[in-house]
Amino acid sequence: MFARWLYYFFVTLSALGLIGVLLAGFAALVIYSNLPSLDTLTDYRPKIPLRIYSDEGLLIGEFGAERRNVVKISEVPEHLKQAILAAEDDRFYEHGGVDYLGVLRAAHSNFSAGSVRQGASTITMQVARNFFLTREKTLTRKFSEALLAFKIEHNLSKDKILELYINQIYLGQRSYGFAAAAQTYFGKSLQEINVAEAAMLAGLPKAPSGYNPISNPKRAKSRQIYVLGRLHKLNHISSEELSALEKQPIPIKKQSTVFAMPADYISEMVRQVIYDRYQEEAYSKGIKVYTTIRQLDQEAAYHALRKNIIDYDRRRGYRGPEAYIDLLKYGTNQEKTLDDALDEVSDSDDAYAAIVLAAKSNAVRAYRKGGETVEITGEGLKFAQKFLSDKKEAGKKYITPGALIRIQKDKKNAWHIVQLPEIEAALVSLDPNDGAIRALIGGFDFHKNQFNHVTQAWRQPGSSFKPFIYSAALEKGFTPATIINDAPLSFSATQTGSQLWEPKNFDGKFEGPMRMRTALVKSKNLVSIRILQAIGIQYAQDYITRFGFEANRHPPYLPMALGSGSVTPMQMAVGYAIFANGGFRVAPYFIKRIEDEKGNTLEQFQPVTVSNGAKRVVDPRNAFIMTSMMQDVINHGTAIKAKQLGRTDLAGKTGTTSNFVDAWFCGFQKDLVTIAWTGYDEPRSLGNNETGGRVALPIWMDYMGPVLKGIPMAEYKLPNGILATKINSSTGFRESAGDVVEYFFNEQLPPLSDSPSLIDQAPKVTRDLKDQLF
């Protein structure tokens, strides 16, 4: 009886097994017949981001959901292939898509551990999932994955499958593929990485966020050690090599260092242009854009702006911690609290965010993103010392445990407490001969403030606008020697467009009659107002449009003479370029050409240049004389500090608005125009005596110095129709024994006289307008 029942049991079991096999086979046939085509693999077209390059071909920006550099399997270092296989699929070249031994090994490991610790997906199965399937954990999806792996193995070579895996897999930080990850984490090409770096990259596919060496360096190191152990077990490295590699530190580079130079603002300008042309395809078709930006110029601009804005900010004093973090948010798990808090705060170049763990008057201990604890003592506390007092005043933000601060290393590797400036700044530099932008920094930190102050900030230019009014005066018959009275004036509301106005000079002094050249050099406000009165406000408003300014942003009232209208730094660059190039209007541009992913040119920009098609908008004699006058601003005037650069071919004008709200320096060398601006986004005073010459000029100098180093001194050639002659500096009249040389249009020469009276024998323009000028 027992034998019969046993017989029936096995027959039934066998029948059920056979039915199960038949059903599984039928299901496999049904699913297999519905599996997707492999065209995506055989004609691999990955999403390649928009890439932006400098004039030299250096990568300065990248936009796209997937950062990727496609490589061929022959370009992949052998030690990286070994590391990938050791970590993910050591029997890759032996199985047919599904590794049955691996499945059994994983099942045993998971059963022994009582939880899922090992997977059994082969590289081929991962390729199937990444290209065609979802990541849902269901039996149907896993079955489809296995069948698709068989299909892939049947149609593609092992090397091709591995190549697809190496290029497609996600490895964190928006990096897809190992080539992109090598650049992101190490700033290296795939061919440059060593065994230790290869092992760290090979450990990422298991959990790209969990083993990310930027955000989780400790876990990344433990995963790397596991991969190195696997390499040793598979006899790819010796015991001695294993020991040495485990101890080797991995220098992780931050994401921003993937780019050759800091150029976020110009990259964003390019992105907007390319998106307008190509819409969403801009981010996936591998478009390459080559700009006019030069590495030397861009780096010099970046460092000049940051250095001087930080110097200004230090003069204003420490403001206290940025915020306070609840260190007990996650109970005893303080590290999670700290990491979560710092994840929401971005570093600013080498000014790192840190959270204070302990604070005394002579020492501060703080936690940096990535698990590093730093000690700040001595000189490193000096800037913030008042906020470490034991006696605390109500309402003041002190440095206490939980405070979010900024720290920075000095040249001796000692940590200092610093802060991010509230003030903003901008610098733009272009070639006045064709408008090519050589450097552009739209603000102190793009990640803190994406507002581009070069193109979007409408600010009052102050005295940096005076050259355009003086240029208009030259067209009206004035000369640099015209005598104008620097004396008090008072105006009604109808004359100013607002209220009763009694303008003053910056220094509060009135110096009486002086030459127009001297007035510009000393930036005399009362002289500028008298000039505008004399030439006519409407005429001046129309005249400035030649330089690219918008008439409606410069209301026709007398304060226009002092720069009360609105301009952008880019507009000022275009305007000053006309003086630098001898009177031609050129349009600024920053894109040279656009290529597709294969290097075929899609668009090539052909700029209108001084020598080819640019429109002359100002008499070359006018441009020459204005340049000469602005050279004296540097040689003798408000920008005399720029003489430290040791050049004789520089010209420019400082600008400071009322109450020190905006500070400018606009200047040029014959082949390079540079504008520097500083101010607060919400306009307020920069502080007493924080003038254009003190705040903006140093930025300009620290940029122009390195950029012009080694460049021969330029000469401004005397145009036809202009005469240089000696004059009496007190009267402005020609004299054979005159004490200065001045330039005049031939038709505007002042008369010769042994003893002229100040007005009666003056040029006609001066006689006719003596009431306004005096």
Side-chain angles (χ1 to χ4, degrees), residues 340-361:
D340 280 1
L342 290 174
D343 272 346
E344 299 177 5
V345 184
S346 61
D347 295 330
S348 179
D349 201 328
D350 59 350
Y352 303 108
I355 297 174
V356 174
L357 300 177
K360 297 180 180 178
S361 60

PDB file of all heavy atoms in Angstrom, residues 340-361:
ATOM      1  N   ASP A 340      23.257  65.657   6.518  1.00  0.00           N
ATOM      2  CA  ASP A 340      22.000  66.142   5.937  1.00  0.00           C
ATOM      3  C   ASP A 340      21.997  67.660   5.838  1.00  0.00           C
ATOM      4  O   ASP A 340      21.565  68.235   4.831  1.00  0.00           O
ATOM      5  CB  ASP A 340      20.811  65.685   6.790  1.00  0.00           C
ATOM      6  CG  ASP A 340      20.422  64.239   6.501  1.00  0.00           C
ATOM      7  OD1 ASP A 340      21.092  63.612   5.658  1.00  0.00           O
ATOM      8  OD2 ASP A 340      19.471  63.744   7.127  1.00  0.00           O
ATOM      9  N   ALA A 341      22.482  68.314   6.887  1.00  0.00           N
ATOM     10  CA  ALA A 341      22.496  69.778   6.894  1.00  0.00           C
ATOM     11  C   ALA A 341      23.440  70.320   5.828  1.00  0.00           C
ATOM     12  O   ALA A 341      23.116  71.273   5.110  1.00  0.00           O
ATOM     13  CB  ALA A 341      22.904  70.293   8.271  1.00  0.00           C
ATOM     14  N   LEU A 342      24.616  69.711   5.686  1.00  0.00           N
ATOM     15  CA  LEU A 342      25.615  70.204   4.734  1.00  0.00           C
ATOM     16  C   LEU A 342      25.263  69.852   3.296  1.00  0.00           C
ATOM     17  O   LEU A 342      25.760  70.494   2.372  1.00  0.00           O
ATOM     18  CB  LEU A 342      26.996  69.660   5.103  1.00  0.00           C
ATOM     19  CG  LEU A 342      27.594  70.248   6.390  1.00  0.00           C
ATOM     20  CD1 LEU A 342      28.888  69.542   6.749  1.00  0.00           C
ATOM     21  CD2 LEU A 342      27.833  71.742   6.244  1.00  0.00           C
ATOM     22  N   ASP A 343      24.414  68.833   3.111  1.00  0.00           N
ATOM     23  CA  ASP A 343      23.969  68.489   1.756  1.00  0.00           C
ATOM     24  C   ASP A 343      23.202  69.635   1.114  1.00  0.00           C
ATOM     25  O   ASP A 343      23.150  69.771  -0.106  1.00  0.00           O
ATOM     26  CB  ASP A 343      23.081  67.239   1.781  1.00  0.00           C
ATOM     27  CG  ASP A 343      23.915  65.961   1.665  1.00  0.00           C
ATOM     28  OD1 ASP A 343      25.104  66.058   1.309  1.00  0.00           O
ATOM     29  OD2 ASP A 343      23.370  64.881   1.953  1.00  0.00           O
ATOM     30  N   GLU A 344      22.568  70.453   1.950  1.00  0.00           N
ATOM     31  CA  GLU A 344      21.750  71.548   1.439  1.00  0.00           C
ATOM     32  C   GLU A 344      22.546  72.841   1.257  1.00  0.00           C
ATOM     33  O   GLU A 344      22.000  73.862   0.853  1.00  0.00           O
ATOM     34  CB  GLU A 344      20.582  71.793   2.400  1.00  0.00           C
ATOM     35  CG  GLU A 344      19.654  70.586   2.545  1.00  0.00           C
ATOM     36  CD  GLU A 344      18.552  70.832   3.552  1.00  0.00           C
ATOM     37  OE1 GLU A 344      18.457  71.970   4.070  1.00  0.00           O
ATOM     38  OE2 GLU A 344      17.778  69.897   3.827  1.00  0.00           O
ATOM     39  N   VAL A 345      23.845  72.803   1.583  1.00  0.00           N
ATOM     40  CA  VAL A 345      24.681  74.008   1.498  1.00  0.00           C
ATOM     41  C   VAL A 345      25.833  73.726   0.539  1.00  0.00           C
ATOM     42  O   VAL A 345      26.561  72.750   0.700  1.00  0.00           O
ATOM     43  CB  VAL A 345      25.246  74.383   2.883  1.00  0.00           C
ATOM     44  CG1 VAL A 345      26.042  75.691   2.792  1.00  0.00           C
ATOM     45  CG2 VAL A 345      24.127  74.507   3.900  1.00  0.00           C
ATOM     46  N   SER A 346      26.006  74.571  -0.461  1.00  0.00           N
ATOM     47  CA  SER A 346      27.099  74.370  -1.411  1.00  0.00           C
ATOM     48  C   SER A 346      28.332  75.145  -0.971  1.00  0.00           C
ATOM     49  O   SER A 346      28.231  76.232  -0.390  1.00  0.00           O
ATOM     50  CB  SER A 346      26.684  74.816  -2.817  1.00  0.00           C
ATOM     51  OG  SER A 346      26.353  76.188  -2.819  1.00  0.00           O
ATOM     52  N   ASP A 347      29.490  74.564  -1.231  1.00  0.00           N
ATOM     53  CA  ASP A 347      30.743  75.269  -0.993  1.00  0.00           C
ATOM     54  C   ASP A 347      30.898  76.357  -2.046  1.00  0.00           C
ATOM     55  O   ASP A 347      30.278  76.308  -3.115  1.00  0.00           O
ATOM     56  CB  ASP A 347      31.927  74.304  -1.067  1.00  0.00           C
ATOM     57  CG  ASP A 347      31.899  73.257   0.040  1.00  0.00           C
ATOM     58  OD1 ASP A 347      31.379  73.565   1.120  1.00  0.00           O
ATOM     59  OD2 ASP A 347      32.385  72.131  -0.196  1.00  0.00           O
ATOM     60  N   SER A 348      31.717  77.338  -1.771  1.00  0.00           N
ATOM     61  CA  SER A 348      31.990  78.403  -2.730  1.00  0.00           C
ATOM     62  C   SER A 348      33.484  78.422  -2.991  1.00  0.00           C
ATOM     63  O   SER A 348      34.257  79.002  -2.230  1.00  0.00           O
ATOM     64  CB  SER A 348      31.523  79.760  -2.186  1.00  0.00           C
ATOM     65  OG  SER A 348      31.798  80.793  -3.112  1.00  0.00           O
ATOM     66  N   ASP A 349      33.872  77.702  -4.075  1.00  0.00           N
ATOM     67  CA  ASP A 349      35.288  77.551  -4.385  1.00  0.00           C
ATOM     68  C   ASP A 349      35.988  76.932  -3.173  1.00  0.00           C
ATOM     69  O   ASP A 349      35.610  75.858  -2.734  1.00  0.00           O
ATOM     70  CB  ASP A 349      35.905  78.893  -4.781  1.00  0.00           C
ATOM     71  CG  ASP A 349      37.185  78.717  -5.588  1.00  0.00           C
ATOM     72  OD1 ASP A 349      37.918  77.729  -5.367  1.00  0.00           O
ATOM     73  OD2 ASP A 349      37.457  79.553  -6.461  1.00  0.00           O
ATOM     74  N   ASP A 350      36.977  77.635  -2.592  1.00  0.00           N
ATOM     75  CA  ASP A 350      37.699  77.074  -1.455  1.00  0.00           C
ATOM     76  C   ASP A 350      37.169  77.584  -0.116  1.00  0.00           C
ATOM     77  O   ASP A 350      37.811  77.411   0.922  1.00  0.00           O
ATOM     78  CB  ASP A 350      39.195  77.378  -1.567  1.00  0.00           C
ATOM     79  CG  ASP A 350      39.488  78.873  -1.617  1.00  0.00           C
ATOM     80  OD1 ASP A 350      38.530  79.662  -1.757  1.00  0.00           O
ATOM     81  OD2 ASP A 350      40.668  79.247  -1.513  1.00  0.00           O
ATOM     82  N   ALA A 351      35.995  78.213  -0.118  1.00  0.00           N
ATOM     83  CA  ALA A 351      35.331  78.617   1.122  1.00  0.00           C
ATOM     84  C   ALA A 351      34.294  77.547   1.454  1.00  0.00           C
ATOM     85  O   ALA A 351      33.201  77.528   0.886  1.00  0.00           O
ATOM     86  CB  ALA A 351      34.674  79.987   0.965  1.00  0.00           C
ATOM     87  N   TYR A 352      34.668  76.630   2.356  1.00  0.00           N
ATOM     88  CA  TYR A 352      33.852  75.442   2.618  1.00  0.00           C
ATOM     89  C   TYR A 352      32.836  75.691   3.738  1.00  0.00           C
ATOM     90  O   TYR A 352      33.111  76.406   4.704  1.00  0.00           O
ATOM     91  CB  TYR A 352      34.745  74.269   3.010  1.00  0.00           C
ATOM     92  CG  TYR A 352      35.798  73.934   1.982  1.00  0.00           C
ATOM     93  CD1 TYR A 352      37.140  74.220   2.222  1.00  0.00           C
ATOM     94  CD2 TYR A 352      35.464  73.360   0.762  1.00  0.00           C
ATOM     95  CE1 TYR A 352      38.122  73.931   1.280  1.00  0.00           C
ATOM     96  CE2 TYR A 352      36.429  73.068  -0.187  1.00  0.00           C
ATOM     97  CZ  TYR A 352      37.758  73.356   0.083  1.00  0.00           C
ATOM     98  OH  TYR A 352      38.715  73.074  -0.860  1.00  0.00           O
ATOM     99  N   ALA A 353      31.682  75.065   3.577  1.00  0.00           N
ATOM    100  CA  ALA A 353      30.682  75.102   4.640  1.00  0.00           C
ATOM    101  C   ALA A 353      31.096  74.114   5.728  1.00  0.00           C
ATOM    102  O   ALA A 353      31.602  73.027   5.447  1.00  0.00           O
ATOM    103  CB  ALA A 353      29.315  74.730   4.080  1.00  0.00           C
ATOM    104  N   ALA A 354      30.893  74.512   6.982  1.00  0.00           N
ATOM    105  CA  ALA A 354      31.239  73.642   8.111  1.00  0.00           C
ATOM    106  C   ALA A 354      30.291  73.933   9.266  1.00  0.00           C
ATOM    107  O   ALA A 354      29.754  75.041   9.379  1.00  0.00           O
ATOM    108  CB  ALA A 354      32.687  73.863   8.535  1.00  0.00           C
ATOM    109  N   ILE A 355      30.084  72.933  10.102  1.00  0.00           N
ATOM    110  CA  ILE A 355      29.211  73.078  11.270  1.00  0.00           C
ATOM    111  C   ILE A 355      30.056  72.970  12.529  1.00  0.00           C
ATOM    112  O   ILE A 355      30.847  72.038  12.692  1.00  0.00           O
ATOM    113  CB  ILE A 355      28.092  72.026  11.272  1.00  0.00           C
ATOM    114  CG1 ILE A 355      27.196  72.226  10.040  1.00  0.00           C
ATOM    115  CG2 ILE A 355      27.259  72.127  12.546  1.00  0.00           C
ATOM    116  CD1 ILE A 355      26.137  71.162   9.869  1.00  0.00           C
ATOM    117  N   VAL A 356      29.892  73.939  13.423  1.00  0.00           N
ATOM    118  CA  VAL A 356      30.693  73.998  14.646  1.00  0.00           C
ATOM    119  C   VAL A 356      30.264  72.896  15.609  1.00  0.00           C
ATOM    120  O   VAL A 356      29.073  72.726  15.890  1.00  0.00           O
ATOM    121  CB  VAL A 356      30.549  75.387  15.308  1.00  0.00           C
ATOM    122  CG1 VAL A 356      31.261  75.416  16.658  1.00  0.00           C
ATOM    123  CG2 VAL A 356      31.108  76.467  14.382  1.00  0.00           C
ATOM    124  N   LEU A 357      31.255  72.157  16.093  1.00  0.00           N
ATOM    125  CA  LEU A 357      31.012  71.108  17.088  1.00  0.00           C
ATOM    126  C   LEU A 357      31.333  71.597  18.491  1.00  0.00           C
ATOM    127  O   LEU A 357      30.699  71.195  19.464  1.00  0.00           O
ATOM    128  CB  LEU A 357      31.848  69.870  16.766  1.00  0.00           C
ATOM    129  CG  LEU A 357      31.593  69.213  15.397  1.00  0.00           C
ATOM    130  CD1 LEU A 357      32.542  68.050  15.184  1.00  0.00           C
ATOM    131  CD2 LEU A 357      30.145  68.753  15.283  1.00  0.00           C
ATOM    132  N   ALA A 358      32.371  72.441  18.593  1.00  0.00           N
ATOM    133  CA  ALA A 358      32.772  73.003  19.887  1.00  0.00           C
ATOM    134  C   ALA A 358      33.407  74.360  19.644  1.00  0.00           C
ATOM    135  O   ALA A 358      34.109  74.552  18.645  1.00  0.00           O
ATOM    136  CB  ALA A 358      33.759  72.075  20.594  1.00  0.00           C
ATOM    137  N   ALA A 359      33.154  75.300  20.534  1.00  0.00           N
ATOM    138  CA  ALA A 359      33.667  76.663  20.328  1.00  0.00           C
ATOM    139  C   ALA A 359      34.142  77.257  21.641  1.00  0.00           C
ATOM    140  O   ALA A 359      33.402  77.286  22.636  1.00  0.00           O
ATOM    141  CB  ALA A 359      32.591  77.542  19.703  1.00  0.00           C
ATOM    142  N   LYS A 360      35.382  77.703  21.645  1.00  0.00           N
ATOM    143  CA  LYS A 360      35.959  78.463  22.752  1.00  0.00           C
ATOM    144  C   LYS A 360      36.591  79.717  22.177  1.00  0.00           C
ATOM    145  O   LYS A 360      36.742  79.848  20.963  1.00  0.00           O
ATOM    146  CB  LYS A 360      37.012  77.618  23.480  1.00  0.00           C
ATOM    147  CG  LYS A 360      36.458  76.362  24.136  1.00  0.00           C
ATOM    148  CD  LYS A 360      37.577  75.597  24.833  1.00  0.00           C
ATOM    149  CE  LYS A 360      37.039  74.330  25.495  1.00  0.00           C
ATOM    150  NZ  LYS A 360      38.116  73.547  26.146  1.00  0.00           N
ATOM    151  N   SER A 361      37.009  80.624  23.025  1.00  0.00           N
ATOM    152  CA  SER A 361      37.595  81.874  22.547  1.00  0.00           C
ATOM    153  C   SER A 361      38.919  81.655  21.842  1.00  0.00           C
ATOM    154  O   SER A 361      39.338  82.482  21.030  1.00  0.00           O
ATOM    155  CB  SER A 361      37.786  82.849  23.708  1.00  0.00           C
ATOM    156  OG  SER A 361      38.657  82.276  24.688  1.00  0.00           O
TER     157      SER A 361
END
